[in-house]
Amino acid sequence: MTIRRFSAAVFAATLLTPGLAACNASGTGDPAASGSATPAASGSAIAPSGDADAKQALLNSTNEIRNGNFRFTMSGAGSTAEGQVHEPSQSAEMRVLIGDASSDLSMKLDLIHAKPDSWVKLELGGRSAGTIPGAQKLNLGKYQHLDQTRIKGNKALGFDFDKIDPAGSEVLTQGITEVRQTGEGAYAGTLDVSKAAEAGSVDQSVITALGQQARSVPFTAKLDPQGRLSEMVIQIPAAGQNAAQDIKVTYTDYGNATAAQKPPADQVVEAPQEFYNLFN
């Protein structure tokens, strides 16, 4: 499956894509595979109309994300990402790991954005790394300085500070269909991910494969003591060729992120054509 978002980074093009990351179930079990039940955290059934207070709490929990000052992590299908957004300095950074040493192809990316510039350091691994076209010209291990005119509109390499949420959590919470509070700051329910592609959270091909299941996907969420979203886990059921798996997003350090540090000049090269080809 594919997570799509963080128009700032390569998540939009490669993270959790079957061709790069092994699609393996991540402990979702039968409930996720069937897409029909949420984790039984309190033993009480979800009311047909849902809990309005619980839903409002989750809607409100994404407000602070809009301020663009937080750290985050994302994981799923054997791939992970972590980073921070610091809108006050118009900067952000992200580190992505796709696959591992046992994969045919693995990628490590270190992305830095400091408006108006962007840099990406790429490391390739796995048995198929040498088969990537132009691999010998990619200046692996150096930061590739990107020509902004060549990545305009490219969700893999660009950064849009008007769309700073790495997972589109605001749109996801708006899609909640049923929810209940299961503990202090803890919630469980279902959400409709059929419109999540427009937010960039879940790839349209996955939504299409889910069919009607996309309208009732189990999730859990946690809020911090200030009522801000700290964790969301979406339990994507198996569909088509995609195995059941969890998509997990966390947010921390609201208001305490720092400006991204530009890479040292002696570690920077201009990105060659082969680099742009790789991500187009």
Side-chain angles (χ1 to χ4, degrees):
M1 69 151 294
T2 309
I3 286 181
R4 296 242 180 215
R5 189 51 171 177
F6 206 69
S7 46
V10 75
F11 248 68
T14 56
L15 184 60
L16 312 187
T17 302
L20 292 175
C23 287
N24 59 294
S26 55
T28 54
D30 291 338
S34 65
S36 62
T38 56
S42 65
S44 59
I46 299 175
S49 61
D51 184 329
D53 290 340
K55 183 172 183 177
Q56 190 59 52
L58 289 174
L59 289 172
N60 294 342
S61 74
T62 65
N63 291 342
E64 185 65 23
I65 295 174
R66 299 191 203 115
N67 290 330
N69 192 326
F70 56 85
R71 292 185 173 86
F72 65 89
T73 68
M74 301 176 71
S75 64
S79 300
T80 60
E82 64 176 2
Q84 66 172 356
V85 176
H86 191 252
E87 198 278 338
S89 64
Q90 294 282 279
S91 68
E93 57 186 325
M94 188 177 194
R95 292 161 297 282
V96 180
L97 173 61
I98 303 170
D100 55 31
S102 64
S103 305
D104 284 341
L105 176 63
S106 64
M107 275 189 183
K108 290 183 180 179
L109 298 107
D110 185 354
L111 300 105
I112 300 174
H113 304 275
K115 196 173 181 178
D117 292 299
S118 298
W119 302 265
V120 182
K121 182 166 69 173
L122 170 68
E123 295 180 32
L124 298 175
R127 294 179 293 275
S128 301
T131 66
I132 292 180
Q136 71 278 7
K137 297 181 180 180
L138 291 176
N139 293 307
L140 302 181
K142 293 277 190 177
Y143 281 94
Q144 317 282 320
H145 180 255
L146 303 177
D147 181 345
Q148 297 297 307
T149 65
R150 301 178 71 177
I151 64 173
K152 187 175 182 179
N154 186 320
K155 293 184 177 181
L157 299 174
F159 192 100
D160 185 350
F161 276 98
D162 292 327
K163 299 177 181 179
I164 56 177
D165 184 357
S169 295
E170 180 176 4
V171 172
L172 287 174
T173 55
Q174 290 172 350
I176 291 173
T177 54
E178 296 179 321
V179 63
R180 69 178 185 276
Q181 186 168 359
T182 59
E184 186 66 31
Y187 300 84
T190 58
L191 55 82
D192 181 353
V193 299
S194 64
K195 297 181 179 180
E198 66 185 61
S201 307
V202 182
D203 185 73
Q204 183 60 54
S205 65
V206 176
I207 297 171
T208 300
L210 288 171
Q212 288 299 313
Q213 290 186 96
R215 300 185 180 278
S216 185
V217 175
F219 81 95
T220 60
K222 296 179 181 178
L223 310 187
D224 67 13
Q226 288 73 44
R228 303 168 300 195
L229 185 64
S230 61
E231 176 185 293
M232 177 174 280
V233 179
I234 305 171
Q235 300 165 346
I236 302 292
Q241 298 182 4
N242 301 314
Q245 58 197 276
D246 287 354
I247 297 172
K248 182 178 180 180
V249 182
T250 69
Y251 300 92
T252 59
D253 291 333
Y254 285 105
N256 294 314
T258 57
Q261 299 299 305
K262 298 179 181 180
D266 62 355
Q267 293 295 311
V268 173
V269 295
E270 288 298 320
Q273 179 61 47
E274 289 78 7
F275 188 88
Y276 296 104
N277 292 344
L278 182 62
F279 292 97
N280 284 330

